[in-house]
Structures are given as C-alpha cells and as structure tokens.
Amino acid sequence: MTQDDDGSIERYVDEMIRSVPEVNRPDPQISCRQGCPKANWLREKETLRCYCHAMGVFSWPRLNLERCTDRQRALRPQS
C-alpha cells in the first residue's frame, strides 16, 4: 500500500496495530508508528515487529524510538 492508495500509511499502520492485543501495541509516540516510509510492520501471531530499512534492524520493540532522524529524512520531499 502506498500513501496514494485508499487511505494513508498512518491509517494502514494503525489498522495493523489495532489487530493485536493492546498489551502488544507500541506507544503512539513511537516514530515508526507515525507513517515512516522506511518502517515495515510485520505481524507475528499476536505480536508486532517493525523493521527499519534505513537502519537495517528491527526497531520495535527492541529500540522503542520516539525520535528518529532517519524518519525525518525519509519524509522530506525528494528534489
């Protein structure tokens, strides 16, 4: 799904996050949850993981990032 499809990246991520038990959900302040185009959310049964393509690591739940310069860079318009 892309940002131009039905809805937005944020809506897609929110729907995926709501599909798991509340105890397994990331805090809304987590950068990866805020529509980062470098974030790839994966559902594994009743848990979620997020792979960051910019850092090349699973960023959530391991890193639990509230601020991320890679997200800010990824959201900048390409010139």
Side-chain angles (χ1 to χ4, degrees):
M1 175 176 254
T2 67
Q3 219 164 357
D4 296 329
D5 289 343
D6 182 347
S8 67
I9 293 171
E10 291 90 351
R11 190 166 104 189
Y12 174 77
V13 170
D14 281 342
E15 287 173 9
M16 178 176 275
I17 289 170
R18 282 195 306 268
S19 74
V20 299
E22 193 169 339
V23 69
N24 296 336
R25 297 177 192 172
D27 185 286
Q29 299 305 312
I30 301 304
S31 291
C32 307
R33 182 176 173 166
Q34 297 172 11
C36 180
K38 298 289 184 177
N40 186 17
W41 287 92
L42 309 164
R43 182 174 176 179
E44 297 175 346
K45 297 184 182 178
E46 297 300 313
T47 62
L48 291 173
R49 295 178 77 193
C50 182
Y51 183 80
C52 175
H53 289 276
M55 292 187 290
V57 298
F58 278 95
S59 57
W60 194 86
R62 188 174 147 239
L63 299 179
N64 208 10
L65 301 170
E66 288 189 16
R67 291 180 157 186
C68 180
T69 57
D70 288 318
R71 177 184 177 276
Q72 294 166 350
R73 214 170 313 149
L75 291 172
R76 277 190 213 133
Q78 300 295 320
S79 37

